Structures are given as C-alpha cells and as structure tokens.
C-alpha cells in the first residue's frame, strides 16, 4: 500500500454548548492512502462530518480541536493554519451533500467551477470559461457549452452534483473530501455519480475520503473503511475484510441491519436501543449499552488494537476470538 | 369533493418570467406604478440632459429690463425672477444640479453601507458590535438635525452634502445587508467557497454581497426620494449648494418674498417640480420592488 496522503492521528474535537464541553471526536485515527479511497461510515451524529470538516478547517464556531494531528502530504495542518489555507482547493477539496445549497444561487455555474482556478492560477475570464466547459464535459455534463452559462436552479440535482464535482477537481487536488455526496440524489443518479467519482479517481489519481451511512456505497467505491460510533473509531480495515468478517460487534450489527440486494433473504436485525447522546456517553466502550457481548470489562477505556495488516479494532470482545 | 375538483380544474397559472430583460414584462404585468415612475423620472432626466436645447437663456444671466415677468410672457415661457433670470432655464439647469447631487449622495452610502454591513454579517464578533453601536448612535439623532448640523460644521458646497448624507444614511444599508449576510454566511455554498481556497475578501465581494443586495436596491429608490428632499431643503435654508449655481431649493427660497406681491410662480414652479419628481421616484421604487419581490 502506498504512503498515506492524509493521516489523522488521535484527533479530539469538542463542542461548547451551553457552557458545557462535549467531546464529539475521541481519539479518531485513520489514514487515506494516496490515490486510495477510504470510507467513513457511522450513524447520524457519530462524527463523520465533523472529522471531514476538521480536515479542511470548516468546524463550526463553537467547536475546538483539543489534541491530535492531521497530516496532509507531510504537513500538520492543525499546527499551521497558513498551510491549510494554501492547500484548500489545490491540495484538498470538498464535495457537499446538498448540491442545491452548496452552489451560489445567483452565479452562473461556469464561474463557480473556475472561481478557484482563477484565484490559484490567475486565468483570465476567457481561459476560465474554456476550462469550465472542459471540466463540465469531463464530469459528464451534456452540452457544456450552453450549460456553462446556466444558473444552479436551471440544473437537475444530479447535474448540480456534477458541477460540484467539476469545481472540486478544477485545481487537480490530491484528495477530495466527500460529505455524503450521493445521499440527496435518487438511486440511478447516485450510481452515475459514484461511477464518475471512481473513474475520476482512476484517471487523475485523486484520493477520496468518503463519508456516508450507506454501506453499499462504501462497498462500491472504497478500498478501506473506518467505522465510527459516537465519535470513536470502532473498526478499521480493508472493505473486504471488514464487511466479510467484521470483528467488532457494532460493525456486525450494522451490517446485519442493512439489506443486501444480492445476499440471501433474511430478517434484518435492528440494533436495540439508540445511539447515546454525545453529552451522555458512557465511559469505556460507547457501544457497550447496546452490545449483546458486553461485559463489565467494557466499562474500562478501550484503545484501538492492531489485529492485522492495517486492521484495527477497539473492542475487548472481538467477534473472531469469541467464536 | 366538489370544491377540491373545482380548485383543481382552475389552476392559477402564473406567467413565467421568461427573460431577464425586464422591459416587455412591465407591459404584460401591468405594473402601472413602474410605468408612471419611468415616464415622470425619465421626462425630468431627459429635460435635464437636454437643457441647452430647450432654452436659449443662461440660468445665471440677469436682465434688469425683464424683471418678474409672468409665465407665458413672450420669450419666457415660465417667466423671469426678480433679477430677470429665465425661470425655465433655472429650472432645467437646477434639475442638472439636483439630480446629479442626489444620485451621488445615494450611491456613496449605498456602496459603503452595504460593504460595511456585509463585513459585519460575515465576521460578526467585535467588529459587528462596534459598528452596530455606532449605527445606533447615528440613528438616535433625527435625520435632518444630523445632516444640517454636519453641513453647517463642514461648510457649504456639494462635497459637504455628500459627506453629511453619507455619514447618516450608510446605517440603513449596513443594517439591511448585515441581516442578510448573517443568513448567507451559514449557507453551505460559503463553506464550499472556503474549502476551494477562495480568499475571504473574494468570498464577501463575489458570493456574500450579491446575495444580500436585493433589499437594499429597493431601499436605494426610497433613499433617493429622501435625498431630493434633503438637498432641496438644505439649499432652501442656504446650506449646501452655493449660489449662483441654479437649484430648486434656492429658487423657492428666493421666490418666497414675492409671493404676497403676486409673483407666486417663482416658488410654486420649483416646488411643484420637486413634488412631481419625488412622486415619480416613489412610483419607480415601488414598481421596482414589486418586480424584485415577484422574483424572490
């Protein structure tokens, strides 16, 4: 496996709410290999988006990074805000969930795509327009010569997401952060966008850090996956290993609760209970209250353990050992 | 059942906004206010521009042989004043003065206020607090009192009118744009701009400001009406525009001493012109805001 383009080490982020400090990310560690695709899955509120936003410095105003490092291409972005600003767009870019609100409603899409290009490479408006047409063609927008002058409301959801992707790849970044880019799209468009991202990754060697709660999408796009729960990493490893042989009870439960279209027909098993509020998270393993394997040992602090080549798990009762 | 069927059968189809050039739209929508405004203001602006073609007298030339001629006199359609100056000439050239001063005095605070408001809304924190408290202080004084005091302090002249009006009316624009900018700042496309590495000033100028302007554009129109009145009032009091530059306010104040002796047209003509012009601008502003409201 190639060197990681992005390494997140022991990232702790907290939110300040009504004078209380709530830890939303608790020693999150993951890495994205150069040109690779890492999936980040978890339920709502597990800290997926928070992890992405800390990478590019878009945390909400009441959030604060307490410790840890985010190393992109050898530089710790948390230690050097100027470095972070300089790699935005050219090193790391981001695709958002709702293309309807992630585009400026009153600016032509062509200009939005090349805003970054003009800023970073000083293109004049004629060159920028040509670049925009080329990029729009590259992301599969039909008739880019006309669409370049369209406003976002004149495009469909899928088209808008393609525009977002075009602007994300405009400056040829090494890493794209994807914040559930297909969640707001319908299934056929979803598939097209996923294919597009995969082919762009192959052609341009762009790495992806892909946040979603959709296991099927992860299986489709990513090579490695990190499972987050309540701000903690439960399990990390290659998609194949993790999905075929989950070691963490949470991963297993998550997979059991997801229908598989080509798998054997069986009852879905919901995970009992609900995810704990971040403010009321138990000490020790956050999943313990809902876990059928939990024992008194689970109330102690659990650290991720390497259990194989780039395979980590934080559980006192990994499934394989129990079996 | 039947009411549902009825309402379904008669869908209220609104004419879609087909093109961005609004001109033919006015006609179809019957936006009467806008049309009246365009006609009145357009007429006055056209007269101001064509002033040298419409009159052969200079607005400042005195003719002691033709003093206080009544309107309709040979050669002087609107008569002459106590110094024998042609009233029509003074009215037309006065329009030039008043219109341009009004416009500039509206544009400066519009630009400055919007910019300040966008900065407040985008950055918030101490900058916002300081600027908004400053705005409160300005609003605490009655508009005219503050403007007159400022012109008095700075001295006569168009420049002091610009300074005085700008110093007071930026507040409204700053407030309007600030509120909108606070909303826009939280939109995801601003995050997208940040993540694509655009510098903050560019995000504010290219993405935040344009999304906040529709309200303040409407406000500009009513502000211009206000400015006409302020400027005419100032020169009526002998502040602001310096004689012998022709101006409506000054014409009124020069003429008022002759009202009782029967030469009331000297005051009435410029007065009615101010009323007409303000009316036209109000219509224009209302018509424009109708269009902007219909779009958003």
């Amino acid at each position: 496996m190639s060197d990681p383009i992005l390494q997140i080490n022991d990232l702790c982020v907290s939110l300040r709410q009504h004078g209380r400090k709530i830890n939303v990310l608790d020693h999150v560690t993951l890495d994205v290999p150069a040109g690779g695709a890492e999936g980040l899955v978890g339920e709502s509120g597990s800290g997926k988006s928070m992890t992405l936003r800390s990478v590019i410095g878009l945390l909400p105003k009441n959030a604060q990074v307490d410790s840890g490092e985010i190393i992109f291409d050898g530089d710790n972005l948390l230690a050097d805000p100027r470095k972070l600003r300089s790699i935005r767009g050219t090193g790391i870019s981001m695709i958002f969930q709702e293309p309807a609100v992630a585009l400026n409603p009153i600016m032509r899409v062509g200009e939005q795509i090349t805003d970054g290009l003009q800023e970073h490479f000083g293109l004049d408006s004629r060159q920028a327009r040509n670049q925009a047409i080329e990029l729009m063609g590259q992301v599969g927008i039909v008739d880019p010569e006309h669409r370049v002058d369209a406003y976002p409301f004149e495009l469909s959801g899928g088209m808008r997401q393609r525009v977002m992707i075009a602007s994300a790849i405009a400056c040829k970044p090494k890493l794209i952060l994807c914040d559930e880019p297909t969640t707001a799209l319908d299934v056929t468009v979803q598939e097209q966008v996923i294919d597009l991202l995969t082919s762009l990754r192959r052609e341009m060697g762009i790495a992806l850090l892909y946040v979603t709660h959709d296991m099927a999408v992860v299986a489709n796009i990513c090579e490695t996956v990190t499972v987050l729960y309540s701000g903690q990493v439960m399990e990390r490893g290659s998609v194949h290993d993790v999905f075929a042989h989950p070691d963490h009870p949470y991963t297993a439960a998550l997979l059991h609760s997801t229908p598989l279209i080509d798998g054997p027909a069986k009852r879905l098993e919901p995970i009992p209970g609900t995810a704990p509020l971040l403010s009321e998270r138990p000490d020790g393993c956050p999943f313990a209250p809902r876990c059928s394997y939990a024992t008194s040992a689970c109330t102690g602090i659990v650290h991720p353990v390497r259990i194989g080549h780039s395979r980590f798990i934080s559980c006192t009762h990994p499934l394989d050992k129990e079996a | 059942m039947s009411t549902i069927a009825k309402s379904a059968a008669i869908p209220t189809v609104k004419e879609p906004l087909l093109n961005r050039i609004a001109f033919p739209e006015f006609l179809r929508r019957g936006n009467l206010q806008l049309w009246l405004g365009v006609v009145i203001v357009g007429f006055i602006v056209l007269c101001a521009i064509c002033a040298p073609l419409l009159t052969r007298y200079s607005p400042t030339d005195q003719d002691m042989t033709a003093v206080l001629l009544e309107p309709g006199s040979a050669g002087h359609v609107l008569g002459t004043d106590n110094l024998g100056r042609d009233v029509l000439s003074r009215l037309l050239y006065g329009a030039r003065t008043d219109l341009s001063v009004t416009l500039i005095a509206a544009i400066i605070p519009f630009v400055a206020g919007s910019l300040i408001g966008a900065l407040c809304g985008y950055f918030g924190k101490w900058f916002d607090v300081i600027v908004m408290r400053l705005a409160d202080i300005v609003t605490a004084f009655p508009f005219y009192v503050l403007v007159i005091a400022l012109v008095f302090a700075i001295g006569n002249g168009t420049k002091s009118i610009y300074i005085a009006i700008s110093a007071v009316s930026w507040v409204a624009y700053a407030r309007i744009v600030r509120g909108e900018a606070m909303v826009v700042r939280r939109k995801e496309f601003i995050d997208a701009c940040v993540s694509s590495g655009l510098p903050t000033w560019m995000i504010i100028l290219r993405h935040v400001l344009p999304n906040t302007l529709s309200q303040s554009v409407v406000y500009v129109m009513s502000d211009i009406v206000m400015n006409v009145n302020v400027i005419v009032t100032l020169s009526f009091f002998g502040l602001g525009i310096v004689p012998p530059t022709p101006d409506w306010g000054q014409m009124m104040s020069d003429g008022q001493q002759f009202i009782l002796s029967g030469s009331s047209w000297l005051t009435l003509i410029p007065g009615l012109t101010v009323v007409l012009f303000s009316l036209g601008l109000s219509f224009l502003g209302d018509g424009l805001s109708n269009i902007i409201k219909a779009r958003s």
Side-chain angles (χ1 to χ4, degrees), chain B residues 92-114:
Chain B
L92 293 172
Y93 283 93
R96 286 187 157 191
T97 319
D98 287 323
L99 258 56
S100 52
V101 173
T102 300
L103 200 67
I104 296 173
I107 289 173
I108 299 172
F110 169 65
V111 172
S114 302

Side-chain angles (χ1 to χ4, degrees), chain A residues 53 88 101 104 106 115 120, chain B residues 189 191 194 196 206-207 211:
Chain A
R53 286 175 170 264
R88 278 177 181 159
V101 294
N104 185 342
I106 58 166
D115 239 9
H120 295 299
Chain B
F189 71 83
D191 281 351
V194 174
S196 63
R206 266 172 74 82
H207 295 272
N211 272 294

